[in-house]
Amino acid sequence: MRMTIWKAIGISVALGLIAAVAIVRTDAYPRPSGAAQPRPAAVDADVISGVVTSSNGPEAGVWVIAETNELPTQFRKIVVTDDQGRYVLPQLPKKNYKVWVRGYGLVDSQPVQAIPGTALNLQAVVAPDAKAAAQYYPADYWYSLMQLPPKSAFPMTIGPAASDDDSPSGAAPKRPSTLSEAAWIYRLKRGCGSCHQIGDKATREIPAALGHFDTGALAWQRRIESGQIGASMVGGVSQLGYDNAIAMFSDWTDRVAAGELPPAPARPQGIERNVVITLWDVGTPKSFVHDAMSTDKHHPTANAYGKVYATEWSSGMLEGIDPVEDTKFAIPVPVPEVAAEFRRTHPQTFLKPSPYWGREVVFDDTLEEEAGQLDSKGRVWFILEDHREAIPPYCNGVSSNAFGKNFPIGANGRQIAYFDSKTGNFGLVDTCFGGSHEVIDNDQDETLYVTAGDNGGPTSRFGIGWVKIRVWDETHDGEKSQGWCPAVIDYNGDGKTGAFTKPNEPLDPKLDRRVPGGGYGISVNPVDHSVWYAAQDPVPGRIVRITLGSNPPATCLTEAYEPPFKNPKVPGVESYSPEGIDVDTDGVVWTALAGTNQLASFDRRKCKVFNGPTATGQHCPEGWTLYSVPGPTFKGGTVPADFFYYNWVDRFNTFGLGDNVPVITGTFSDSLIVFDPKTKKLATLRVPYPLGFYTRFVDGRIDDPKAGWKGRGLWSSDDTRVSSHNEGGKGATSYVAHFQLRPDPLAK
């Protein structure tokens, strides 16, 4: 195999290279002064509490984990010790538990059997060396050891595959493309990161089941051809430049194998020590849980103590847990009648066997569900991909349908479905448009909006679509219930949108302009009911505002705002690639920038220009405020290694930090990251066990507003495509996570 490498990396892909080992002191974490022995908290009937000490004394900021398999589904409770090493595990069902200590600078202690009502002091084990300590670090710390190409390598031209006979099929784009450094970095993060973590043990090491290879490069070539998504992985790596990317990945894993270690994370501090995390296993080892939802976004006390639902993208199930009964469930989604023909997302064949499943089919893909929301009646609405070929005739512009005439749609494999938990019945709105994410507005029609597209062609991912739930309930007429509008900027400034250019075409001052890029995250401004969506690509991406007006589609108006990127008004700032988006109760937009690991707020009230020929995206830098999120950076540079899949705003103090608190999904860092707008501080809420917490969404619910911290919390789920990558390997499942914030680490 002919291999090319970036000049500045200077790597050898041969095994046995000598790596510099990061020196991490395993006794370097702060400890309380004084020799007094800490007194444990009092023990209640549903509590296990005590003090954690090691050979170094009390251990502050380490996790205590209680786990039981005596409930209908695997159950775990996780807390953090205070500055004297004390802990309290609250609200435990009366079962037998294994209890142990995990923390940075430690290795896992031997589990101890205990039941609630027990005072249990625990002996932590100091890691014998830095390598042992590092096995518990989040994925992004290991990922940060990767050496990215130097700035001199950009712009980078990625051409067709090499002509060697052993070049894999489809190993590069069909035609050459040129990428900026920012575009390449975003493609690196999202290419693999849209499915699973990079940097966890499953990816930083070469599985023995793959076989023996003379070089790391050959091992990586074999690795990415594995399983049902092997062809997709080959294609994803090819989008970075196949030979160069294989060299980069193999250099990384070669150095890890030779002993190179990442920097050590900080132990939990401040409010991070007040968090209680409860986990319930959900699904099967083959499930691909995509999102979890617990309540009506606008009424956080709805569905109090109710089931938490999770959409699942592999076997056509609506899954979830009952947190009161400590049970899990899986409800088959019926195949809609409109789905006469199917096109599965994943091949049912393999380039090469999976190191976990061999040639066993994991993803059936008959139906796929994602992005759920609960409405005011407690129904679960979600996007259903059924891969059908035919769509309603009014979609394509041949009938009198105003939306079809304004923007005809020729194909779509996704609809809007719902589940009524009171009747146990499913329903389907046969929509012209597909979608990536959805949100339900608090308007009189309870309008459900999605980032819309038509599953291919030049009109794919074109703007927004909607279903008026009230109209659907009254008529069950799909045509009357739905509408859609492309994202078109009033570029010529005539106050309306008419004929328009396509994305990336030369601008015509007489025509309006279609916004480039596809929508992803979506939200509604509760102040004025404008719809906002995030578009990650092309770099720098943009957030887009659409108002329907009094007579859509004729009155749909669009605005687009790019995060500051090479803007002379903000010199030196390059922020890019918003994925998630939400709007607080003041109308301020919050978005997590996946490319640069920043949390950004955007206040449109600060802008002076909204439409016209100068509204090109970089026209309102004054509306943006950027906050850098702490975390490791890739080797030798300043590019952050985490990946933010989505973000959400806690409008109603469901967590306990107050109203309008943004929450980021730290998808590569095993965490939710919360931002307090009052203090401008960020807190990282990690799930330390099982390692591999990969989340795409977060939700918040108040079960009892009078119950203090016990009556509220955030809900999320482990949403990796491959649960076999999680700690535990093959047989591990996804789980639903509940994050609660106590006033202090010892509150019961």
Side-chain angles (χ1 to χ4, degrees):
M1 165 63 73
R2 174 168 55 84
M3 300 292 294
T4 60
I5 58 177
W6 295 294
K7 295 179 180 179
I9 296 179
I11 62 171
S12 167
V13 294
L15 292 175
L17 88 109
I18 300 174
V21 177
I23 303 301
V24 180
R25 288 185 57 196
T26 57
D27 61 348
Y29 294 96
R31 305 181 188 284
S33 58
Q37 181 69 22
R39 298 182 61 184
V43 181
D44 291 344
D46 65 345
V47 164
I48 297 174
S49 65
V51 180
V52 176
T53 57
S54 72
S55 57
N56 293 320
E59 288 286 353
V62 299
W63 292 283
V64 178
I65 303 165
E67 180 179 45
T68 183
N69 58 10
E70 294 184 0
L71 291 164
T73 190
Q74 190 91 346
F75 176 93
R76 306 173 181 98
K77 186 85 72 171
I78 303 171
V79 298
V80 186
T81 58
D82 71 359
D83 60 359
Q84 298 182 59
R86 297 175 296 180
Y87 75 93
V88 169
L89 284 160
Q91 295 183 290
L92 293 169
K94 199 73 173 181
K95 300 295 180 182
N96 292 298
Y97 293 86
K98 294 189 300 181
V99 185
W100 74 96
V101 180
R102 171 171 290 188
Y104 301 142
L106 307 176
V107 295
D108 280 1
S109 64
Q110 185 68 31
V112 178
Q113 294 287 336
I115 59 172
T118 301
L120 181 66
N121 291 336
L122 295 167
Q123 187 68 29
V125 181
V126 175
D129 52 43
K131 181 177 180 180
Q135 302 311 307
Y136 304 97
Y137 295 172
D140 61 329
Y141 278 78
W142 287 95
Y143 192 30
S144 72
L145 294 178
M146 189 173 291
Q147 176 76 65
L148 305 189
K151 289 184 177 295
S152 60
F154 298 98
M156 182 184 294
T157 299
I158 298 171
S163 59
D164 304 66
D165 292 338
D166 55 356
S167 293
S169 175
K174 294 181 180 179
R175 56 184 180 274
S177 60
T178 301
L179 297 179
S180 67
E181 182 182 29
W184 189 94
I185 288 169
Y186 175 68
R187 189 173 286 185
L188 169 71
K189 288 189 174 187
R190 189 124 195 345
C192 298
S194 62
C195 290
H196 55 79
Q197 286 185 344
I198 304 294
D200 56 14
K201 189 175 180 65
T203 55
R204 69 178 181 258
E205 298 178 359
I206 302 298
L210 282 180
H212 172 76
F213 303 91
D214 291 337
T215 68
L218 292 173
W220 268 94
Q221 290 173 29
R222 169 61 180 86
R223 158 181 263 171
I224 63 173
E225 294 178 348
S226 299
Q228 283 177 263
I229 59 173
S232 296
M233 289 194 290
V234 170
V237 170
S238 299
Q239 293 300 313
L240 300 169
Y242 183 84
D243 285 354
N244 288 338
I246 289 291
M248 180 185 69
F249 282 112
S250 62
D251 167 65
W252 171 53
T253 51
D254 285 351
R255 285 187 284 109
V256 168
E260 187 168 347
L261 300 176
R267 285 183 176 180
Q269 303 289 331
I271 66 165
E272 297 168 352
R273 295 184 178 181
N274 299 354
V275 174
V276 178
I277 301 173
T278 310
L279 308 178
W280 295 263
D281 276 9
V282 67
T284 72
K286 293 184 179 182
S287 295
F288 174 13
V289 170
H290 200 282
D291 305 276
M293 68 289 313
S294 66
T295 189
D296 180 344
K297 182 178 179 68
H298 307 285
H299 305 96
T301 56
N303 194 38
Y305 294 109
K307 294 178 179 179
V308 179
Y309 296 90
T311 53
E312 195 271 340
W313 192 338
S314 70
S315 60
M317 295 286 181
L318 184 64
E319 299 184 333
I321 59 107
D322 184 328
V324 175
E325 300 296 329
D326 298 310
T327 58
K328 66 178 181 179
F329 59 86
I331 306 169
V333 179
V335 177
E337 292 181 3
V338 297
E341 299 179 16
F342 294 97
R343 296 176 288 103
R344 287 181 166 89
T345 298
H346 303 101
Q348 304 297 290
T349 57
F350 310 85
L351 293 179
K352 299 288 174 60
S354 161
Y356 302 98
W357 299 97
R359 293 188 179 274
E360 183 177 353
V361 172
V362 177
F363 305 120
D364 173 73
D365 286 351
T366 302
L367 298 174
E368 298 164 350
E369 307 90 48
E370 64 173 313
Q373 295 272 296
L374 269 65
D375 70 7
S376 61
K377 296 181 180 180
R379 293 173 296 188
V380 183
W381 291 78
F382 54 94
I383 295 171
L384 178 69
E385 185 160 4
D386 57 23
H387 311 285
R388 53 83 184 267
E389 296 289 349
I391 61 174
Y394 51 79
C395 302
N396 60 15
V398 298
S399 73
S400 61
N401 183 282
F403 298 102
K405 284 189 172 298
N406 179 62
F407 199 88
I409 300 174
N412 172 40
R414 295 185 177 192
Q415 286 75 51
I416 308 298
Y418 59 91
F419 171 70
D420 189 334
S421 60
K422 295 177 182 177
T423 65
N425 295 328
F426 285 87
L428 179 76
V429 184
D430 193 8
T431 54
C432 297
F433 47 84
S436 292
H437 287 83
E438 65 179 29
V439 66
I440 297 176
D441 192 10
N442 195 31
D443 62 346
Q444 64 177 1
D445 290 321
E446 202 166 358
T447 308
L448 182 151
Y449 293 96
V450 303
T451 48
D454 73 347
N455 257 21
T459 59
S460 180
R461 308 285 186 196
F462 60 80
I464 62 169
W466 61 87
V467 172
K468 295 180 180 293
I469 293 177
R470 179 189 61 81
V471 176
W472 170 258
D473 285 342
E474 292 175 356
T475 67
H476 273 64
D477 187 316
E479 184 174 9
K480 290 181 180 179
S481 305
Q482 69 180 288
W484 61 94
C485 277
V488 178
I489 297 173
D490 181 17
Y491 184 76
N492 60 15
D494 64 359
K496 59 184 179 180
T497 53
F500 52 83
T501 61
K502 295 179 180 179
N504 305 318
E505 284 186 345
L507 295 180
D508 184 337
K510 297 179 181 180
L511 298 177
D512 292 324
R513 182 188 182 192
R514 240 191 77 199
V515 177
Y520 203 67
I522 190 168
S523 184
V524 174
N525 184 338
V527 177
D528 63 7
H529 299 282
S530 58
V531 183
W532 290 79
Y533 70 78
Q536 326 99 304
D537 225 7
V539 165
R542 58 212 41 84
I543 57 174
V544 179
R545 178 183 188 263
I546 298 182
T547 54
L548 303 190
S550 60
N551 185 32
T555 54
C556 288
L557 291 175
T558 302
E559 301 164 15
Y561 303 93
E562 298 175 354
F565 186 82
K566 298 183 179 179
N567 190 321
K569 295 181 180 179
V570 193
V573 176
E574 293 189 8
S575 51
Y576 54 90
S577 298
E579 291 227 0
I581 194 169
D582 206 357
V583 189
D584 67 24
T585 57
D586 295 323
V588 176
V589 179
W590 293 86
T591 181
L593 303 179
T596 48
N597 283 28
Q598 294 163 309
L599 175 65
S601 68
F602 180 77
D603 191 341
R604 180 178 175 271
R605 296 169 296 185
K606 297 180 180 180
C607 301
K608 301 176 180 62
V609 176
F610 301 101
N611 283 295
T614 61
T616 57
Q618 289 288 315
H619 58 293
C620 187
E622 63 271 21
W624 292 89
T625 304
L626 303 172
Y627 305 92
S628 294
V629 180
T633 58
F634 285 108
K635 186 176 180 68
T638 59
V639 178
D642 203 356
F643 176 62
F644 301 156
Y645 194 97
Y646 216 79
N647 65 277
W648 176 84
V649 174
D650 184 1
R651 296 177 180 173
F652 304 112
N653 193 27
T654 62
F655 185 51
L657 275 182
D659 296 343
N660 292 326
V661 172
V663 184
I664 306 167
T665 58
T667 309
F668 283 2
S669 56
D670 297 340
S671 69
L672 299 180
I673 303 167
V674 299
F675 177 77
D676 188 341
K678 298 185 184 70
T679 64
K680 304 295 189 291
K681 292 183 178 179
L682 290 138
T684 300
L685 317 178
R686 293 202 205 277
V687 177
Y689 172 80
L691 287 171
F693 179 59
Y694 173 110
T695 185
R696 300 171 188 268
F697 192 66
V698 60
D699 188 15
R701 185 172 75 190
I702 299 174
D703 292 313
D704 184 351
K706 299 180 180 180
W709 69 269
K710 292 183 177 181
R712 61 187 65 223
L714 303 178
W715 291 92
S716 190
S717 54
D718 174 50
D719 302 326
T720 180
R721 182 182 292 235
V722 278
S723 296
S724 51
H725 280 196
N726 286 354
E727 183 175 2
K730 184 179 179 180
T733 71
S734 295
Y735 47 85
V736 171
H738 193 205
F739 295 76
Q740 295 175 287
L741 183 67
R742 297 185 283 189
D744 63 77
L746 303 183
K748 296 178 286 185

